[in-house]
Amino acid sequence: MNAPDNWQKSSYSGEGDGNDCVELSSAPAALHLRESDDPGTVLTTAPAPLARFLHAIRTGTPGIVASVTAHPGGAC
């Protein structure tokens, strides 16, 4: 699969140094996410699983934050 070229940065991210954030690119059947300070690493997922994940975060589903941020042996 070719790397997308239509990346969008959050409107909450300002200009300049210290404002790194997640960038998003979409295709009909996939969403691509990357961290702006490490654009070579891309996470690709389908829209439905990402929507369920974001819904769980927004609604405070018990355990969702702990299960996502848990990273044995180091920081996330």
Side-chain angles (χ1 to χ4, degrees):
M1 173 172 26
N2 293 335
D5 59 2
N6 58 339
W7 293 100
Q8 296 178 352
K9 187 182 283 192
S10 169
S11 61
Y12 289 101
S13 179
E15 298 296 324
D17 294 336
N19 293 307
D20 297 324
C21 67
V22 172
E23 297 175 333
L24 172 72
S25 178
S26 63
L31 295 172
H32 310 281
L33 299 110
R34 71 180 184 184
E35 190 169 343
S36 59
D37 65 349
D38 185 13
T41 302
V42 177
L43 171 68
T44 301
T45 186
L50 182 60
R52 287 190 300 270
F53 174 70
L54 294 174
H55 176 74
I57 291 171
R58 288 182 187 125
T59 59
T61 300
I64 190 69
V65 174
S67 67
V68 170
T69 60
H71 182 58
C76 294

